[in-house]
Amino acid sequence: MKIAIIVLLSLSFVYATKFSSKYHTTGELNDELESLSRSCSFLSLSNASESPLIKEVSINRNQNKKYRAYILFGEHPRELISPESGIHFLNDLCYEKTDPKNKQILDDFELRLILNANPLSRQKVEGGEYCLRENENGVDINRNYDAHWQKVQDDVRQVTSGPNPFSEPETRAVRDSLKAFNPDIFLTVHSGTLGMFTPHAYSTDAAEQNEDKMMDILNDISGKYCPSCDVGVASQAIGYLAPGSCVDYAYDELKIRYSFAFEIYHGSINLEEQLKSRQHSSFLQLTGQQQSTKNRKFEHNNNHSCFLQTSSKYDMSKEECFDYFNPDSSQYDWYVQNWTEAYQEMLLKLVQEEQ
């Protein structure tokens, strides 16, 4: 009995140490947002949902904006690095506003962000349930949008669509927020693989409108910030169809011409490997040898992507799940900075594409 207690206490210490080293709790994320709203005159907060409480961030430095951008973080609670990259992006905009990239973004864009789209389940992850993908009702909210929705019930893979489209308060909150804001560009951020995807997820068909411009943006970003990323049509990259996703809802139902899904961390590719890949990509660009992303063969390393979950909470330990979806403390700073720069580049490239 004593041995069992010691083991449980040891595991609890490991989980707490992993989480507390760099990552924010839900309360800390909300506190930091409140702090930013006080110190950053162009940032304001509202509630996209009261129950569960989902905070919505608005950034608008002046009234003469040309473009509107919407970024969604934290749909799957175990993907802790997603909201972490979002809070870093916000801090950079607020405290480095004289940086040329941030200045142009603040001049050209009004932004709307949801940092923590699945707060109740995230709190369970904070308590050690590091494999949890679904919301409090056992629904994968990235299968619950009214975009080619199909009823799916797969508890093993944690891919359950819910009883009907928008059955979940989280997806209703995102739906209402998106409709009210009417953005020019939509991005949802996940982890579990490395990828930058365009519609569609429900079919193998590429986007009918604006595909070339979307691919121009992703080709540029991947070369600079994620040479290891699969890039292209979501379903083709993951090798599987995923109905009811937010990226298809944004593109097909709301007609948001630039709609993307990013996967920003893969547990089997460490920081050193990615840095080497990035340096190698830069060399190939200089020598004119880099393979065109449009012709890249997808690796299908996406077993744990935001669309496809071929493994389950039952065949990975809690510690393995944390490490698979999230960088450790030694890699954390590099990842949040790298992806902050990628989000900035995405917005600036849109301006170039629209000129």
Side-chain angles (χ1 to χ4, degrees):
M1 184 66 176
K2 288 183 178 180
I3 294 174
I5 293 173
I6 290 172
V7 169
L8 288 171
L9 289 174
S10 298
L11 287 173
S12 298
F13 176 76
V14 168
Y15 299 151
T17 302
K18 272 185 172 295
F19 193 83
S20 64
S21 57
K22 288 282 186 177
Y23 290 85
H24 297 74
T25 65
T26 295
E28 289 167 347
L29 285 173
N30 289 338
D31 289 346
E32 189 151 351
L33 290 178
E34 293 289 348
S35 177
L36 285 171
S37 70
R38 291 190 295 269
S39 59
C40 200
S41 61
F42 48 82
L43 186 151
S44 60
L45 288 179
S46 60
N47 293 339
S49 169
E50 298 287 345
S51 181
L53 181 61
I54 298 175
K55 295 287 186 180
E56 181 178 75
V57 181
S58 298
I59 295 176
N60 190 3
R61 193 163 68 172
N62 61 60
Q63 300 302 315
N64 299 316
K65 300 296 182 184
K66 298 178 182 176
Y67 308 104
R68 293 182 172 188
Y70 194 105
I71 310 181
L72 178 64
F73 301 92
E75 281 191 290
H76 293 145
R78 65 189 179 187
E79 299 162 15
L80 297 164
I81 192 59
S82 167
E84 299 295 327
S85 70
I87 198 68
H88 189 272
F89 173 73
L90 288 174
N91 273 291
D92 201 73
L93 272 179
C94 284
Y95 296 121
E96 301 295 335
K97 52 184 174 288
T98 59
D99 175 84
K101 287 185 177 181
N102 285 331
K103 184 178 185 303
Q104 184 179 348
I105 290 168
L106 292 170
D107 286 343
D108 288 343
F109 282 91
E110 180 179 357
L111 294 99
R112 194 71 51 88
L113 297 88
I114 287 182
L115 202 65
N116 185 7
N118 202 338
L120 297 182
S121 285
R122 182 186 168 94
Q123 290 175 55
K124 292 181 179 179
V125 173
E126 293 161 12
E129 293 187 35
Y130 291 138
C131 296
L132 184 60
R133 171 186 171 95
E134 300 169 321
N135 76 347
E136 67 279 7
N137 299 321
V139 173
D140 177 355
I141 63 174
N142 200 33
R143 294 294 184 87
N144 189 240
Y145 290 86
D146 194 6
H148 318 283
W149 182 89
Q150 295 178 17
K151 187 173 180 62
V152 178
Q153 179 75 40
D154 191 335
D155 295 330
V156 173
R157 296 188 302 143
Q158 297 192 76
V159 180
T160 299
S161 62
N164 49 67
F166 294 124
S167 62
E168 305 311 300
E170 295 88 354
T171 51
R172 293 196 298 271
V174 174
R175 174 199 63 192
D176 295 345
S177 175
L178 273 171
K179 283 185 172 181
F181 189 54
N182 190 27
D184 301 290
I185 184 169
F186 170 80
L187 169 66
T188 179
V189 178
H190 293 262
S191 65
T193 187
L194 291 173
M196 296 180 174
F197 305 135
T198 61
H200 289 99
Y202 84 97
S203 80
T204 57
D205 295 335
E208 296 86 359
Q209 304 289 330
N210 222 39
E211 172 71 5
D212 288 344
K213 288 185 176 182
M214 285 192 284
M215 286 302 300
D216 285 344
I217 291 173
L218 296 188
N219 284 334
D220 180 79
I221 299 172
S222 64
K224 295 179 181 178
Y225 302 104
C226 190
S228 301
C229 277
D230 280 337
V231 179
V233 177
S235 60
Q236 295 178 19
I238 64 176
Y240 193 83
L241 302 182
S245 71
C246 63
V247 70
D248 284 349
Y249 177 73
Y251 183 78
D252 283 337
E253 303 302 322
L254 301 184
K255 309 304 180 186
I256 300 172
R257 295 184 304 120
Y258 294 89
S259 296
F260 301 117
F262 285 7
E263 296 268 5
I264 66 173
Y265 182 77
H266 190 308
S268 67
I269 301 176
N270 64 32
L271 173 61
E272 182 179 3
E273 289 173 331
Q274 188 154 17
L275 284 171
K276 286 181 179 179
S277 177
R278 182 176 179 178
Q279 292 164 357
H280 182 58
S281 175
S282 297
F283 171 76
L284 291 178
Q285 284 180 319
L286 289 173
T287 58
Q289 297 175 17
Q290 187 179 26
Q291 182 183 7
S292 169
T293 310
K294 290 183 180 179
N295 298 319
R296 181 184 298 172
K297 181 179 179 181
F298 292 122
E299 297 297 330
H300 295 309
N301 282 329
N302 305 307
N303 291 348
H304 302 275
S305 79
C306 60
F307 302 106
L308 175 63
Q309 171 65 14
T310 59
S311 190
S312 74
K313 59 185 176 181
Y314 303 112
D315 61 16
M316 294 178 74
S317 71
K318 293 179 179 181
E319 188 171 8
E320 286 171 334
C321 278
F322 186 99
D323 293 337
Y324 197 93
F325 293 99
N326 305 288
D328 63 23
S329 58
S330 67
Q331 298 175 306
Y332 175 98
D333 290 335
W334 183 87
Y335 272 93
V336 295
Q337 179 61 33
N338 180 70
W339 286 102
T340 287
E341 293 177 18
Y343 306 150
Q344 293 169 337
E345 190 82 9
M346 175 191 71
L347 298 175
L348 298 177
K349 282 290 292 182
L350 178 142
V351 174
Q352 294 177 22
E353 291 290 336
E354 291 295 296
Q355 288 176 347

